[in-house]
Amino acid sequence: MLRALAVDDERPSLEELVYLLNADPRIHTAEGAGDATEALRRINRALESGPGGPDAIDVVFLDIQMPGLDGLDLARLLSGFARPPLVVFVTAHEDFAVQAFDLEAVDYVLKPVRRERLAEAVRRAADLRETLPRITVHEPDPDHIPVELGGVTRFVPVDDITHVEARGDYARLHTDRGSHLVRIPLSTLEDRWGSRGFVRIHRRHLVALRHISELRLDAGTVSVLVGGEELQVSRRHARELRDLLMRRA
């Protein structure tokens, strides 16, 4: 079963392609992206998820002529990845076939897309996927989190993390020895580490209860001292936090 991403800047074409892909029994899931930038964001999530992860992508069905980064540019970028998804071009133009196959495309499907022709492209992708080496997927270590530092992956013990700060789709992990930026939303870490004593105190902050050294009350505002840093506690989280700290005490 293949997990597919369709990329096309024309909404009707994209919706039809996603519909046809989802109707194929060899496709597990098919999603759509309206341009190459959106597709890259989705593919980056897939790479972080790993080949057996929930966000993995096996094959990209890619239009060529799009504003900004076009399909050929995106395919060239993907070819530089250690384990890129397979690529099938879906386009209204015959002129780019040679360039497409130079980029090792699985197939080149012309618009308007016929169901039978698309099914053949899916079959080729599925057959090729079967010939690729199997990768053993290991469960992530619950006691450590990988971080990138100067091109080197290091594993930070979760117990060393004092608090986490939201940075959009990223989060900054703070320890007594420094901080690390990871591409994981704060809400994901809250779900993952709730059982390890991490609690949300603010829309921007997640803290480890064991690292809170002081709870401060000042003129109706609540803050905590954690890792040598004073962090504001929002009103909606203040009572729950006080109760948790009292129970731990």
Side-chain angles (χ1 to χ4, degrees), residues 170-191:
Y170 292 77
R172 183 166 289 281
L173 313 176
H174 292 266
T175 72
D176 289 338
R177 292 181 294 277
S179 66
H180 310 277
L181 195 65
V182 295
R183 189 176 178 131
I184 305 176
L186 191 67
S187 57
T188 299
L189 294 177
E190 181 182 13
D191 291 340

Side-chain angles (χ1 to χ4, degrees), residues 61 88 106-109 116-126:
F61 291 81
V88 173
V106 174
D107 207 343
Y108 193 90
V109 179
E116 298 79 6
R117 181 65 184 88
L118 185 63
E120 172 62 17
V122 172
R123 183 195 65 75
R124 292 183 183 182

